[in-house]
Amino acid sequence: METKICLNLDDGEQVEKTLTNYLKLECPHYLKGNFISMRGICDYVFKEIIEGQDCRVLVYNVELDNQEAFGTIGGIMYPIHPPSCNVFPKLDVGDSKMAARLHLYWEGVNRYESFKKQEGGLKRLADTLSIPQKFR
């Protein structure tokens, strides 16, 4: 059975359009800043989260009028499920790899009930991703 996704992470133009739209909506609310620009910096693949499934996250440097942030797009179950978007303040997160790991963790918390239903599922996910306690 072939699975169709609504956004291919290899289509840079569509990815940037999708992430830009997300950032323009989310940043004023969440980070109290307006989107100015972004630039792709990393493409991470995590193999250790779900056996037999690569988890992929693209990370962008994002410039806002009040700070810098990391914009992320990808997912735990990509390409089976469409990618999701997130934004994280650079000062809080530190580096692009942590931004990618946080993207997957928050997706587990907010999108996939299976992590919440399994006893210790979210803790295992956080431990696997090496998420610091302050972000859990």
Side-chain angles (χ1 to χ4, degrees):
M1 178 171 151
E2 184 177 324
T3 303
K4 295 192 180 207
I5 57 172
C6 34
L7 178 65
N8 181 343
L9 292 180
D10 292 321
D11 184 344
E13 186 177 317
Q14 275 303 107
V15 166
E16 289 188 10
K17 181 180 177 184
T18 300
L19 189 55
T20 296
N21 289 338
Y22 170 83
L23 293 168
K24 285 180 178 179
L25 290 173
E26 189 67 23
C27 289
H29 168 71
Y30 175 63
L31 298 177
K32 308 296 185 235
N34 295 306
F35 174 80
I36 295 174
S37 66
M38 70 178 190
R39 174 180 58 82
I41 56 170
C42 296
D43 184 343
Y44 291 108
V45 175
F46 297 88
K47 297 179 179 290
E48 66 272 13
I49 299 169
I50 298 175
E51 189 174 328
Q53 174 69 45
D54 290 349
C55 305
R56 186 174 175 198
V57 180
L58 305 179
V59 181
Y60 288 76
N61 268 330
V62 177
E63 184 181 352
L64 305 175
D65 61 2
N66 67 342
Q67 66 180 300
E68 290 187 343
F70 291 113
T72 58
I73 186 168
I76 290 175
M77 296 295 292
Y78 175 84
I80 296 167
H81 297 161
S84 63
C85 299
N86 278 301
V87 62
F88 304 99
K90 263 191 181 181
L91 286 176
D92 292 349
V93 173
D95 65 34
S96 63
K97 189 147 193 179
M98 182 53 67
R101 291 170 185 259
L102 282 170
H103 176 94
L104 295 174
Y105 177 69
W106 283 113
E107 192 177 52
V109 168
N110 296 306
R111 188 175 189 186
Y112 294 105
E113 288 292 318
S114 60
F115 288 107
K116 293 181 207 176
K117 288 180 181 176
Q118 295 173 6
E119 185 174 331
L122 285 176
K123 183 183 181 327
R124 263 193 312 282
L125 178 62
D127 290 346
T128 299
L129 291 167
S130 301
I131 301 298
Q133 196 64 40
K134 68 180 183 178
F135 295 120
R136 296 180 187 203

